[in-house]
Every structure is written in structure tokens, then in C-alpha cells.
């Protein structure tokens, strides 16, 4: 914090960095690069060059290649030995031998079940799974369609969740709402039937080595098989190739085993047979590779955990402190085999009827309004990227009309296909404009003309005003949506600063970098 650096602080520490990232994002592998750059400055010794793993391509392949050709040979050369053990490990990996760290003990239905939130000490819980123990059940009090009935291409819902019943749930405007999804009942039943499991049977997960004092719970037990498969097992996402290697060991049919191993070893075949076909573990077990036979303790070990899904909250905590709102695009896609792939979380939310529960927690967002409310803001949020912009507009309206503050200009760039199809929150945006909160509403309808119009085109069209807002009025910029859109918007603003602002390319990049450091240019993007 003081800026001082002890150049010998990490003397004696050898290190190598495999950085995780995606070229879809602006700051590719930024943290890994930072670690690799700064560790030597405090005395650590780099023993292998940093490797940049790209999740947009084949991050597992990147890691396996780096481990085999760089990292492991470096360790052997430096420390020697380990070759026999390495051979044993590599043989086990090739054979897909899975040693589960868990044992399953089925118990009577009348066994005492600890409270999920308060019944497990934090130090006994696996830190990567703590949300299973801490998330809160809250009622959905409203759910409404935001698209027109004429739009048959999909569904986008506005969902309100009541958080007033739990004092620990607080949020700030445009924070992130985390939802713990639940797998579809039919998929859960098919998997249980294939594995020969009774959905209502209750079990406890114990350590296979019997060392209870060292055991870290990965989800609350006792629980039923139904709860385990529905809430804690990712049944529908494509397994990673490393997971396929392990799964192959459970296939009794040699041809099916070979097909699974081929998908594990070949990036192209994995993409073709697993990713493009939308094959999850449920599909593999029940239909694609039906010779897979896995006991519950092994299934819990090899099946990935079902992760929370995050939505930027589309409500203001000043206006609605007891209600969080989410703007949810319902994912349904046709699969090559003619069936339909349903996004696990969006369809879970869509299926919750009024006053029934969803399990949630809240985490901080990067979206924060200027401390000085007189500063102008530029918001770019096409599609469901409108969510945080709705929250920010509610907050600015509250500041202006309730708190009587001097609120600066609010400019919104919103885009969708057509005005009469998927213009989300149209009535609210027009109301914000009418009451004077929304200074300028720029709309890009990409399918209304022969030539498509996108938000970045409108930014470029308004070059003079945008440049003045950024350079002379200290405007803040908020961008939410897809990574490609975010990149296009960034390029449009760089061009505006370079040409209209006469900063040139290098000066424009430096200005944006400073804006980001000052939290004046904030993005939340997804691939």
C-alpha cells in the first residue's frame, strides 16, 4: 500500500505461471501476466515462461501442452527424480482410473438434517462450494414478459424477488444477483433411473479415508438423491475434456469407451461430438453412451458442480430496497438431434410461479454512479444489457426528484431487433424521458432497415457531443452486453477521442486507460 517493495521478500521461491483468460475479453490473461511480471520484483525466481491459456479456443489443450513440454520437464531438470511416479500417474490418467475421495452412506428418512445455512461450520465447508451453504431462499413475487407477443424468436422476463425476509440480504444499485439453478425434474429422473437410484433415498457424503476431522463438505448432507442431482450436479453442460478421460473408465462397451476417449483427446472431435451437439453428462449416461455405469459416490466425484448464474440487478436499492429485479433472457436452442436445449438457470427462473422460492445471494458489481451526481453518464446497453441501465436510471431519478440533487445528463444507447418486437422496458424508458431523467435516448433497431444499425454506429454519429461529454464534462461510461459489442463500442470511443478530440491513437488509449483507473469507464461483458 505504501508503494515500497522489498526486493528479497520472496527469495527462495521458484514459480511458473499458467494464466487463465479468453481472447474474447479486452484484458486477456491480465492477472496471470501481472503475477508473472511482479513476482520477480520481490525476489521470486521464474523457472518457466508464462503460458497464456485461451478459453475461447482450447484452454485445456493449452495447459496439457504446457505441462507436458514445459512445466514438468522443468521440474524434473531442476529437482530430479519423480519419473517412476510420473509414469504411474500418466498410466492412471490414460486409463481414466478415478479414485473417489467420497463414500456414500444411505440413511433412514427420519435422520436429523442440519440446517443448511447455520448447521455447518465455515471451516468444514469446501470454499469453492460455500454458496450451497450460504445462499438464501427468497420468493419470486412477479414475473412478466418483456418482449412483444409478435416476437416468436424467444422470451425475456422481468423477475422481482422479495429479499425483505432476510436481514443479511442487502444490495446496492446494479449489484450482481447470483441464482443457484435447479435441473429439470425430467432430466433428474432419467439420470436417477439409469443409475439405478431411488430419488427419495437419503444419504450422507463421508470421506473415503474415514478422516472426518479433515473432511470438507462439498454440499449439505444428509440430502436426498433428488436434491443432489437437482441442485449440486451439472447435468447439462458439456463436460471438459479432462472429465471425459475419467468418465471413459465407466463405459463397459469398448466402442463407446473409445469414442469418449477420442472426444477427450481430439479438440475437433470434442467440438463436433460434445459441444456442438450440446451433450451433457445426463445425455452421455442416458442415451449417447448408455454403457456408462457409475455408482453414486463416483458420480458425485466425476460430475461437475452446478454453478451459480449471475445477473446484473436491474433495480435501484434506493427505490426498491426490499426487492431485487433481474432481466433474464430464456435460453432455448434446437439441438442437431431435433431435441431442445434449455438453459438450466433461465428456464428454472421462468418455471417459478408467484411466491415460490429461488435460492440466491448478492455480490458487488463494478457499476457505481459518480459520487458527484452532477456528472453526466453515458450508458450503452443493448438487449439484456439494459438491466443495469434501468437500475442506474431509477437511482438518478430518485436523486433528482426525491433527494432534489443536481443530476447531470443521462444518455442511453439501447439496441434490439425491432421497436415492436424486443424493445425492452419501452414504457419505462419513455417515462424516464418524459420526467426529465433521461436526457437523450438513442435507439438502434438492427432489423428495421435493409442496412443494420447498432449502438456503436450511433455513438460514432454523435461524435462531437460524445467527445465533449468525455473530455470537457467528465462523463462516466457504462457498457453492458456481449464481448463483441463491448469491443466495438470501445473502438468507437477510441476513434472519437483520437479524431474529434485530437488525441491521436496513443493519446486516446491513454485517456481511456485513465478513465478505467478512475472508474469512469465500466464494462460488464459476457461471451
Amino acid at each position: 500500500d505504501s508503494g515500497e517493495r522489498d526486493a528479497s521478500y520472496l527469495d527462495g521461491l521458484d514459480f511458473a505461471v499458467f494464466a487463465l483468460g479468453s481472447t474474447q475479453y479486452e484484458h486477456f490473461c491480465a492477472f496471470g501476466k501481472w503475477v508473472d511480471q511482479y513476482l520477480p520484483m520481490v525476489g521470486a525466481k521464474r523457472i518457466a515462461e508464462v503460458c497464456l491459456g485461451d478459453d475461447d479456443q482450447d484452454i485445456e489443450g493449452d495447459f496439457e501442452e504446457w505441462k507436458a513440454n514445459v512445466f514438468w520437464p522443468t521440474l524434473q531438470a531442476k529437482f530430479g527424480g519423480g519419473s517412476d511416479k510420473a509414469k504411474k500417474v500418466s498410466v492412471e490418467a490414460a486409463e481414466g482410473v478415478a479414485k473417489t475421495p467420497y463414500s456414500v452412506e444411505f440413511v433412514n428418512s427420519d435422520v436429523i438434517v442440519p440446517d443448511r445455512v447455520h448447521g455447518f461450520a465455515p471451516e468444514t465447508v469446501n470454499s469453492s462450494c460455500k454458496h450451497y451453504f450460504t445462499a438464501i431462499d427468497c420468493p419470486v413475487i412477479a414475473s412478466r414478459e418483456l418482449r412483444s407477443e409478435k416476437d416468436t424468436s424467444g422470451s425475456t422476463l422481468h423477475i422481482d424477488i422479495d429479499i425483505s425476509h432476510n436481514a443479511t440480504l442487502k444490495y446496492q444499485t446494479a449489484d450482481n444477483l447470483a441464482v443457484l439453478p435447479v435441473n429439470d425434474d425430467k432430466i433428474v429422473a432419467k439420470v436417477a433411473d439409469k443409475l439405478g437410484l431411488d430419488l427419495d433415498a437419503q444419504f450422507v457424503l463421508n470421506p473415503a479415508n474415514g478422516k472426518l476431522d479433515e473432511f470438507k463438505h462439498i454440499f449439505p448432507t444428509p440430502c436426498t438423491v433428488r436434491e443432489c442431482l437437482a441442485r449440486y450436479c451439472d447435468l447439462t453442460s458439456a463436460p471438459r475434456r479432462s472429465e471425459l478421460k475419467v468418465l471413459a473408465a465407466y463405459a463397459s462397451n469398448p466402442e463407446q469407451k473409445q469414442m469418449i476417449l477420442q472426444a477427450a483427446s481430439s479438440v475437433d472431435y470434442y467440438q463436433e461430438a460434445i459441444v456442438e451437439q450440446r451433450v451433457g453428462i445426463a445425455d452421455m449416461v442416458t442415451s449417447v453412451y448408455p454403457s456408462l455405469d457409475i455408482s453414486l459416490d463416483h458420480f458425485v466425484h466425476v460430475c461437475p458442480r452446478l454453478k451459480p448464474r449471475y445477473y446484473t440487478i436491474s433495480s435501484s436499492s434506493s427505490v426498491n430496497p426490499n426487492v431485487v429485479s433481474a432481466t433474464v433472457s430464456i435460453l432455448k436452442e434446437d439441438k442437431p438431434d431435433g431435441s431442445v436445449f434449455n438453459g438450466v438457470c433461465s428456464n428454472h427462473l421462468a418455471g417459478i410461479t408467484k411466491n415460490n422460492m429461488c435460492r440466491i445471494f448478492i455480490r458487488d458489481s463494478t457499476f457505481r454512479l459518480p459520487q458527484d451526481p452532477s456528472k453526466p453518464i453515458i450508458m450503452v446497453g443493448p438487449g439484456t444489457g439494459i438491466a443495469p441501465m434501468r437500475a442506474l436510471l431509477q437511482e438518478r431519478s430518485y436523486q433528482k426528484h426525491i433527494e432534489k440533487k443536481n443530476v447531470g445528463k443521462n444518455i442511453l444507447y439501447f439496441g434490439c431487433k425491432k421497436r415492436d418486437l424486443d424493445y425492452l422496458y419501452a414504457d419505462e424508458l419513455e417515462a424516464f424521458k418524459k420526467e426529465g431523467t433521461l436526457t437523450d435516448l438513442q435507439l438502434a433497431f438492427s432489423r428495421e432497415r435493409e442496412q443494420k444499425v447498432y449502438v456503436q454506429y450511433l455513438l460514432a454519429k454523435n461524435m462531437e457531443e460524445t467527445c465533449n461529454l468525455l473530455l470537457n464534462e467528465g462523463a462516466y461510461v457504462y457498457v453492458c452486453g456481449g464481448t463483441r459489442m463491448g469491443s466495438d463500442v470501445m473502438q468507437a470511443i477510441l476513434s472519437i477521442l483520437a479524431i474529434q478530440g485530437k488525441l491521436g491513437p496513443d493519446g486516446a488509449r491513454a485517456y481511456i486507460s485513465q478513465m478505467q483507473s478512475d472508474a469512469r469507464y465500466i464494462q460488464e461483458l459476457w461471451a
Side-chain angles (χ1 to χ4, degrees):
D1 291 340
S2 65
E4 296 180 3
R5 194 168 59 217
D6 181 353
S8 62
Y9 184 70
L10 293 179
D11 273 356
L13 174 69
D14 296 326
F15 79 94
V17 174
F18 180 81
L20 306 176
S22 168
T23 47
Q24 288 266 346
Y25 291 88
E26 179 188 358
H27 301 291
F28 174 55
C29 287
F31 183 69
K33 292 175 183 176
W34 184 89
V35 170
D36 185 69
Q37 177 185 352
Y38 280 94
L39 280 183
M41 295 184 184
V42 288
K45 181 181 178 183
R46 182 189 297 109
I47 61 171
E49 290 301 308
V50 61
C51 181
L52 308 182
D54 185 5
D55 200 37
D56 191 45
Q57 297 298 321
D58 179 30
I59 198 166
E60 284 191 283
D62 294 338
F63 178 72
E64 291 296 332
E65 183 177 347
W66 177 75
K67 183 178 71 172
N69 299 326
V70 178
F71 184 60
W72 186 247
T74 300
L75 292 183
Q76 285 187 306
K78 184 170 180 63
F79 301 108
S83 57
D84 291 339
K85 184 178 180 182
K87 286 177 183 176
K88 182 181 178 183
V89 170
S90 64
V91 168
E92 285 184 351
E95 293 176 352
V97 176
K99 292 183 179 179
T100 176
Y102 312 117
S103 68
V104 166
E105 178 189 355
F106 286 98
V107 295
N108 294 330
S109 58
D110 58 356
V111 70
I112 297 174
V113 178
D115 180 82
R116 180 179 58 83
V117 176
H118 304 291
F120 296 85
E123 64 271 15
T124 68
V125 171
N126 186 308
S127 60
S128 66
C129 303
K130 65 181 181 181
H131 47 269
Y132 292 144
F133 300 82
T134 58
I136 305 297
D137 289 327
C138 295
V140 171
I141 56 173
S143 179
R144 59 186 172 90
E145 179 61 58
L146 294 173
R147 299 198 203 184
S148 162
E149 291 180 357
K150 293 188 287 186
D151 189 355
T152 58
S153 63
S155 170
T156 302
L157 297 180
H158 173 89
I159 294 173
D160 288 330
I161 300 168
D162 182 358
I163 61 170
S164 64
H165 304 291
N166 192 289
T168 64
L169 279 176
K170 303 290 183 185
Y171 79 102
Q172 293 188 62
T173 297
D175 267 349
N176 293 144
L177 171 71
V179 178
L180 273 59
V182 179
N183 286 308
D184 181 84
D185 288 345
K186 292 179 181 177
I187 294 174
V188 168
K190 284 175 68 175
V191 171
D193 181 63
K194 177 60 175 61
L195 298 180
L197 298 170
D198 177 0
L199 283 171
D200 296 319
Q202 195 153 244
F203 70 93
V204 175
L205 201 62
N206 291 317
N209 61 11
K211 297 180 179 179
L212 286 168
D213 56 331
E214 298 176 4
F215 185 56
K216 302 291 185 184
H217 297 280
I218 56 172
F219 53 81
T221 64
C223 73
T224 63
V225 170
R226 186 191 310 278
E227 171 122 349
C228 169
L229 296 179
R231 289 193 176 272
Y232 309 129
C233 296
D234 189 343
L235 302 179
T236 57
S237 299
R240 290 190 174 274
R241 291 195 291 129
S242 57
E243 291 159 352
L244 292 179
K245 286 181 183 178
V246 179
L247 279 167
Y250 300 96
S252 58
N253 181 295
E255 290 184 12
Q256 291 178 16
K257 181 175 183 176
Q258 192 56 43
M259 290 169 69
I260 299 171
L261 287 173
Q262 185 180 352
S265 60
S266 166
V267 177
D268 292 339
Y269 186 70
Y270 170 74
Q271 199 68 25
E272 176 188 331
I274 304 297
V275 177
E276 292 175 5
Q277 300 292 324
R278 290 280 198 178
V279 172
I281 283 186
D283 298 311
M284 295 180 69
V285 168
T286 60
S287 58
V288 181
Y289 307 116
S291 73
L292 284 169
D293 187 16
I294 314 175
S295 60
L296 181 58
D297 53 345
H298 281 251
F299 189 83
V300 166
H301 178 47
V302 301
C303 185
R305 301 279 71 79
L306 191 53
K307 296 184 175 70
R309 270 49 169 185
Y310 293 92
Y311 301 90
T312 309
I313 293 172
S314 53
S315 56
S316 156
S317 55
S318 297
V319 177
N320 293 301
N322 294 322
V323 174
V324 291
S325 300
T327 307
V328 182
S329 178
I330 310 304
L331 176 59
K332 290 182 182 288
E333 291 182 359
D334 292 332
K335 294 170 65 172
D337 66 0
S339 62
V340 176
F341 176 84
N342 294 315
V344 63
C345 192
S346 62
N347 283 275
H348 163 58
L349 287 171
I352 299 176
T353 53
K354 187 174 181 179
N355 293 325
N356 280 317
M357 300 291 183
C358 66
R359 192 164 289 176
I360 67 167
F361 63 92
I362 291 166
R363 72 175 187 184
D364 291 345
S365 157
T366 55
F367 281 100
R368 292 290 180 261
L369 283 169
Q371 288 189 340
D372 178 359
S374 69
K375 293 292 184 184
I377 65 173
I378 299 170
M379 299 165 283
V380 184
T384 54
I386 190 66
M389 313 315 171
R390 176 182 186 262
L392 297 181
L393 284 168
Q394 283 188 356
E395 189 71 21
R396 295 280 268 193
S397 176
Y398 184 87
Q399 291 175 342
K400 182 183 179 75
H401 297 287
I402 305 300
E403 297 181 325
K404 305 299 181 183
K405 292 180 178 179
N406 176 24
V407 174
K409 298 173 185 174
N410 302 300
I411 296 98
L412 172 64
Y413 288 82
F414 173 74
C416 61
K417 289 179 295 186
K418 290 185 177 182
R419 183 186 296 269
D420 62 348
L421 290 183
D422 54 346
Y423 182 6
L424 308 183
Y425 299 113
D427 293 344
E428 292 185 29
L429 296 181
E430 296 298 334
F432 281 129
K433 194 174 179 183
K434 187 175 181 181
E435 71 173 31
T437 298
L438 187 51
T439 313
D440 188 9
L441 176 58
Q442 294 284 327
L443 299 170
F445 299 115
S446 62
R447 301 296 189 272
E448 285 194 351
R449 303 178 185 177
E450 187 173 334
Q451 185 158 359
K452 295 178 180 178
V453 179
Y454 297 108
V455 288
Q456 59 267 28
Y457 300 171
L458 297 182
L459 271 168
K461 184 180 176 182
N462 298 324
M463 178 182 290
E464 186 175 345
E465 180 195 9
T466 303
C467 186
N468 180 61
L469 287 166
L470 294 173
L471 293 181
N472 301 323
E473 297 188 32
Y476 284 57
V477 177
Y478 303 88
V479 183
C480 186
T483 51
R484 181 171 295 179
M485 179 278 302
S487 176
D488 290 342
V489 167
M490 173 69 80
Q491 289 305 313
I493 292 178
L494 283 169
S495 296
I496 289 169
L497 291 170
I499 299 168
Q500 183 70 28
K502 297 181 170 50
L503 297 182
D506 291 341
R509 278 192 289 271
Y511 191 82
I512 288 291
S513 180
Q514 188 60 51
M515 285 184 69
Q516 291 173 324
S517 297
D518 297 339
R520 280 183 56 208
Y521 195 110
I522 299 170
Q523 304 176 95
E524 284 200 357
L525 308 174
W526 56 82

